[in-house]
Amino acid sequence: MEKITETFLLEMASPKTKTLEQIKTLKLSRLGLKCKDLPVKLLSRLQSLESWDLCGNRIEELPRGLALPTLRSLDLSDNKMEDVTTLDSLTSLEELKLEGNIYITVNDEYKLMVLLPKLKMYNGKDISSRADHVRHTSRNILHNRVVAIWDTKFGLLDTNTLKKVDDMEREFVTTAQCSIQFGRNSTKDYTRWRVGILAKEYLRSLLQRNEESDKGQEPINAKKNNGINSPVKRKQAPVLLHQDLQLTPRKKARGDACSSSAKDTPGLLLLTPQKTGPAGAIRASPRKAAAPQLAASPAVRAKTPRKSLAEQPQPKEESGRPKLRATGDQGHATSTGTPIDVEGSPSKRSCVRPQRVQLKPLHVLQCHSKRNSPEDFSTQLWACVFQPLPHSGRDTSWGRLAATCGGDSLCLIDCETGRMMRKYKVPGEEFFTLGWSTVQMSRENGAPARPCSILAAGGKRGLVKLIHLQANVAYGEFRASRKALAILQFSPRQGNLLFTGAYDNKITLWDIGGVDSQYNYKASQLMVLECSSTPLHLRLPPGSPDTQLLAATDSGLHCFNTQLNPGSMKRTAEMEITFPIYEQKDKDPRYHCIDGLGFLTDDIVASKCYLQPSIYLWSWGKTRGQSRVKKSGGVAAVLLAELQWATTDVPYLALSTCPEEAYLVCGDHSGRLWTYSLHNLLPAHNHQPGELVPPTEVLEWPAPLMKASSPVGGPSINSVAMGQGLSYLVALSDKNMVVVWKREDSS
């Protein structure tokens, strides 16, 4: 390896110059360099350097204090980078390449967006929109939650001694990092890091104000000075500290599937008694005021659950219940057929009251707990699927079995009995998504192949796990991406075709084939679809599942052509589908995040953005038939209706549809389920702009009880799934609770 000297740098520069201060392009690739080989004093003389190639070396981090004020492009591909915070001095950097650094995670990518305020291109991809969201929108949300932590748990600033300030800072930072959750667990490391920085900044600002005020003034009250009242996303009891997530690469581990009897089912919580009104509306149990650390909503005392919202008196603040808002963010279960206008009174147009499905909570399970601990209320659960229709009628358990994922485990649950039938665990993995399908299993001696029901799951490692649940065999895995997997979607017509969406902004179509009697299989890549951001949900139109795909992403809703032909296997979106909220919030990229998507019929689609207090229903056929805008390639969604939903800033609360029952359900940030029976609405298609269709019923959080403890407060409902015929509904929370609801027929 050549030593870095002034003469060597001049030789490697392009174009050639006589002084270091004039060098604009420098190539030091594949020289075996390490951090210690980069002389800071000498390199800091490169005051005109704009492009620097350091790929193919052995650099773990850049040396501290490196000042390169004009550097615009840096290539660190194929190194051994571990600590990206050492790049914080390169504030003019616009393009960065870190491909081939196996220790770099999605957390590091988010950190870079914060540390490098001008970064636009990362690994050859334009990240401007996502970076702007991380730098500003996410920052504001986290800042508000940091302020809320200070207001509720600290409040007064004691600056009598420096030691007290240091202790207070340490305690404040630790409390904020343990209490605040944001986004998926795959970015927990980034969130802790960002919250730590924001907490220190906020405390310093309070100290500065305190110093500027008169000595005789009382200590500063953060709440009084700032007036911040933004809701904390997911309140946790103070004792429930979130464990650090290790994101360094680990050795591959085989998952062990195990059976579980009913009595061994862990974390089966007790439901508080539920009373039903005349129409069977479920009301939440009263919650004790003696448990302020839990985010429990107040008791509900609605006399007539089916009463129209407009007929109900406005609750008083003294009652402890939140006031009704125009968005339908009520504090109780309600069944109504009267739309609410922006002032809270009934609008002039009314609709026929839809048929109500009666659901009651049946079981609450903590089957994904770390080390089977009943005290684990921090593991977030992300996806649930019901067993698909069997090929024969011999499976008596069909319709009752649901698979769930979260943390390092997958669970198979019998919804009727509450038993955990199987559990599949991979230490070090974190599962975000799963799918259930049927492939063909070949047999020996020329016997005909038979259907084989399999489960596929993926998460932060980028691997797809394949499991034959009936035989209790985890028979294979394949790498679908170098980044974490966000979503899996099987084709409903060809069970061996699997779409995977990953954090590298790519959707890949795989043929996983069938299996033989020895569980040999082969997965092959068929197609790659390029997205502008992370795909969150994938849906295949029921009328054309072999040729088209809808992808809901962090930056919008896109349509792809997925027809298999000899043409290019790398494709971009054919068109983007836009919504009215884009025009109202054009400069805010958060409103382009589509975090809920589902088909109600072959033509009617439901979609949502978490910042909008409503859910759009729109026509797929009419939207697709429109002419595209030449400049953007987008088309405006043809709206059919707009459903009233909760007001929240919590992302990734997915909706679910049951086409055969014309039913839609979406959870919110406080444990409630907003349900919509749309039998009467769908045929009308007479949406009027600005009119909101209220929910059929808002099911309250059932407030389960731990033994000898207070009710567990309402969590965010990350995902909902409905079984065939809506016989069961499963809701997954961010507090490690699986809630099973059962349908009850009217008497």
Side-chain angles (χ1 to χ4, degrees):
M1 182 194 67
E2 185 113 11
K3 185 177 181 181
I4 304 297
T5 62
E6 180 174 352
T7 302
F8 181 72
L9 292 177
L10 291 172
E11 289 177 358
M12 304 302 290
S14 175
K16 300 298 182 183
T17 62
K18 294 183 179 180
T19 64
L20 295 181
E21 288 74 12
Q22 296 176 327
I23 295 178
K24 291 190 175 182
T25 302
L26 184 62
K27 186 172 183 179
L28 300 179
S29 59
R30 294 174 178 80
L31 297 175
L33 297 175
K34 295 184 178 181
C35 177
K36 63 182 181 181
D37 301 319
L38 301 175
V40 175
K41 188 174 181 181
L42 185 64
L43 293 172
S44 294
R45 290 175 56 189
L46 302 172
Q47 294 297 294
S48 300
L49 185 64
E50 297 180 358
S51 179
W52 193 7
D53 185 354
L54 283 169
C55 71
N57 287 293
R58 294 185 290 170
I59 299 172
E60 302 92 355
E61 61 180 14
L62 286 187
R64 298 283 182 179
L66 186 59
L68 300 171
T70 62
L71 187 63
R72 302 285 185 270
S73 176
L74 176 62
D75 189 349
L76 283 168
S77 304
D78 300 319
N79 276 277
K80 297 184 178 181
M81 287 292 294
E82 295 183 19
D83 186 4
V84 298
T85 61
T86 57
L87 277 67
D88 61 348
S89 62
L90 307 179
T91 54
S92 297
L93 205 60
E94 298 177 0
E95 182 177 1
L96 176 64
K97 292 183 179 180
L98 281 172
E99 293 174 311
N101 289 271
I102 62 174
Y103 301 115
I104 297 298
T105 68
V106 66
N107 293 276
D108 298 309
E109 295 177 18
Y110 278 80
K111 290 178 183 179
L112 287 168
M113 295 176 198
V114 175
L115 295 170
L116 306 176
K118 296 184 179 180
L119 188 64
K120 299 177 181 177
M121 301 294 294
Y122 180 75
N123 289 341
K125 301 287 185 181
D126 188 346
I127 61 166
S128 301
S129 177
R130 187 158 59 108
D132 184 66
H133 176 77
V134 171
R135 292 171 189 145
H136 305 293
T137 306
S138 297
R139 186 263 178 202
N140 293 338
I141 293 173
L142 291 174
H143 172 77
N144 290 344
R145 295 177 185 180
V146 166
V147 173
I149 294 293
W150 176 267
D151 290 349
T152 56
K153 298 185 179 180
F154 295 86
L156 297 178
L157 186 64
D158 187 354
T159 59
N160 292 334
T161 65
L162 183 61
K163 184 177 184 299
K164 283 189 176 181
V165 172
D166 291 340
D167 292 343
M168 182 182 297
E169 179 183 273
R170 191 178 304 107
E171 183 181 358
F172 177 39
V173 170
T174 301
T175 301
Q177 288 178 328
C178 293
S179 302
I180 295 175
Q181 294 183 8
F182 185 74
R184 300 195 172 192
N185 273 357
S186 60
T187 59
K188 181 186 286 187
D189 182 56
Y190 158 75
T191 302
R192 287 178 60 86
W193 173 81
R194 188 73 165 126
V195 166
I197 293 175
L198 293 173
K200 291 178 182 178
E201 289 177 353
Y202 183 66
L203 187 56
R204 290 191 196 106
S205 70
L206 294 180
L207 289 169
Q208 185 175 359
R209 293 177 199 172
N210 191 67
E211 291 173 358
E212 292 173 355
S213 63
D214 295 333
K215 292 184 179 179
Q217 278 188 326
E218 295 179 358
I220 294 175
N221 185 309
K223 186 173 184 178
K224 192 178 294 184
N225 279 284
N226 292 278
I228 302 295
N229 57 4
S230 299
V232 178
K233 174 182 170 187
R234 299 167 187 181
K235 292 182 180 179
Q236 303 278 359
V239 296
L240 303 176
L241 303 183
H242 305 294
Q243 299 184 5
D244 294 334
L245 182 64
Q246 300 176 2
L247 293 171
T248 52
R250 303 183 181 185
K251 293 182 179 179
K252 190 180 299 182
R254 281 189 68 87
D256 297 323
C258 62
S259 299
S260 173
S261 63
K263 67 178 182 179
D264 295 329
T265 300
L268 187 59
L269 305 183
L270 300 176
L271 288 169
T272 49
Q274 300 289 328
K275 294 183 179 180
T276 58
I282 296 172
R283 294 185 289 176
S285 303
R287 300 177 185 178
K288 298 179 182 178
Q293 74 274 19
L294 292 174
S297 58
V300 175
R301 301 179 181 86
K303 294 182 179 179
T304 311
R306 298 191 64 175
K307 203 172 184 180
S308 168
L309 290 181
E311 298 172 348
Q312 294 180 10
Q314 290 289 336
K316 299 179 181 179
E317 292 184 3
E318 291 80 7
S319 69
R321 288 178 288 171
K323 290 186 176 181
L324 296 181
R325 289 184 283 181
T327 60
D329 195 10
Q330 300 91 338
H332 57 276
T334 178
S335 174
T336 176
T338 306
I340 302 299
D341 65 12
V342 293
E343 298 298 327
S345 60
S347 62
K348 293 182 180 179
R349 174 181 173 271
S350 63
C351 62
V352 179
R353 177 176 297 164
Q355 180 183 359
R356 197 163 64 102
V357 173
Q358 297 185 42
L359 294 164
K360 78 166 188 176
L362 188 62
H363 305 291
V364 180
L365 300 95
Q366 282 185 288
C367 47
H368 293 268
S369 298
K370 300 183 183 80
R371 296 177 292 277
N372 293 328
S373 170
E375 302 300 322
D376 179 10
F377 288 94
S378 63
T379 297
Q380 297 201 56
L381 312 182
W382 289 109
C384 174
V385 289
F386 275 84
Q387 181 183 15
L389 184 68
H391 288 261
S392 66
R394 291 176 295 179
D395 190 349
T396 58
S397 65
W398 175 78
R400 297 167 39 175
L401 297 182
T404 60
C405 75
D408 62 0
S409 60
L410 311 172
C411 294
L412 182 65
I413 298 168
D414 185 324
C415 293
E416 178 62 30
T417 64
R419 290 181 59 192
M420 184 179 69
M421 309 297 292
R422 301 278 190 274
K423 187 169 184 178
Y424 175 75
K425 190 170 183 178
V426 181
E429 178 64 278
E430 183 176 3
F431 289 106
F432 297 143
T433 179
L434 74 170
W436 206 330
S437 186
T438 302
V439 299
Q440 294 299 310
M441 172 177 275
S442 61
R443 294 189 283 178
E444 297 176 349
N445 302 323
R450 64 180 181 183
C452 174
S453 181
I454 66 164
L455 193 69
K460 76 174 184 180
R461 287 182 168 181
L463 299 172
V464 174
K465 302 283 186 178
L466 300 174
I467 307 161
H468 184 196
L469 289 169
Q470 185 176 3
N472 205 20
V473 174
Y475 69 87
E477 66 179 32
F478 65 92
R479 177 163 294 283
S481 175
R482 296 172 66 182
K483 301 292 184 179
L485 296 178
I487 185 69
L488 302 181
Q489 177 67 51
F490 277 105
S491 166
R493 286 187 181 172
Q494 300 183 67
N496 57 305
L497 297 184
L498 172 66
F499 289 91
T500 62
Y503 279 84
D504 59 2
N505 303 341
K506 293 179 181 178
I507 300 169
T508 307
L509 174 59
W510 303 87
D511 182 355
I512 63 171
V515 295
D516 62 19
S517 58
Q518 302 300 316
Y519 289 100
N520 296 310
Y521 76 101
K522 181 181 179 181
S524 55
Q525 185 183 108
L526 302 179
M527 185 185 303
V528 177
L529 309 176
E530 299 280 352
C531 298
S532 57
S533 60
T534 304
L536 303 176
H537 298 282
L538 304 177
R539 294 293 181 265
L540 300 167
S544 54
D546 300 327
T547 58
Q548 291 173 315
L549 171 75
L550 281 178
T553 74
D554 271 327
S555 61
L557 181 60
H558 303 274
C559 177
F560 292 88
N561 175 13
T562 58
Q563 187 168 9
L564 294 172
N565 54 50
S568 173
M569 290 297 100
K570 286 191 176 182
R571 303 176 187 176
T572 56
E574 285 189 323
M575 66 179 180
E576 179 182 3
I577 298 170
T578 62
F579 299 95
I581 193 68
Y582 290 8
E583 298 175 6
Q584 302 172 29
K585 307 288 183 179
D586 186 51
K587 295 183 179 180
D588 192 339
R590 295 181 303 165
Y591 286 86
H592 291 245
C593 174
I594 307 299
D595 63 346
L597 182 67
F599 275 85
L600 270 166
T601 69
D602 287 2
D603 180 64
I604 299 176
V605 188
S607 63
K608 63 174 276 283
C609 166
Y610 69 97
L611 288 175
Q612 183 181 1
S614 61
I615 298 171
Y616 285 131
L617 297 186
W618 49 279
S619 170
W620 163 238
K622 293 179 180 179
T623 301
R624 184 182 53 180
Q626 296 181 110
S627 299
R628 303 173 198 170
V629 178
K630 292 183 179 180
K631 189 174 181 180
S632 63
V635 296
V638 178
L639 298 189
L640 305 176
E642 192 170 348
L643 310 180
Q644 197 173 22
W645 187 59
T647 299
T648 182
D649 63 352
V650 180
Y652 312 131
L653 306 181
L655 61 81
S656 179
T657 60
C658 183
E660 59 187 314
E661 295 291 330
Y663 213 72
L664 186 151
V665 180
C666 189
D668 68 12
H669 58 288
S670 56
R672 296 171 299 180
L673 297 177
W674 296 63
T675 68
Y676 309 84
S677 182
L678 303 170
H679 280 289
N680 298 322
L681 179 67
L682 296 185
H685 290 184
N686 52 356
H687 170 69
Q688 297 179 12
E691 180 183 23
L692 292 179
V693 178
T696 305
E697 185 174 13
V698 179
L699 300 176
E700 283 292 329
W701 173 246
L705 286 170
M706 291 289 290
K707 292 182 179 179
S709 70
S710 301
V712 180
S716 291
I717 303 299
N718 288 339
S719 182
V720 180
M722 289 177 276
Q724 190 79 7
L726 193 47
S727 53
Y728 299 95
L729 181 149
V730 175
L732 305 184
S733 78
D734 68 342
K735 287 186 178 179
N736 186 33
M737 283 178 279
V738 178
V739 185
V740 179
W741 298 72
K742 184 178 181 180
R743 181 174 184 171
E744 287 191 329
D745 294 330
S746 301
S747 57

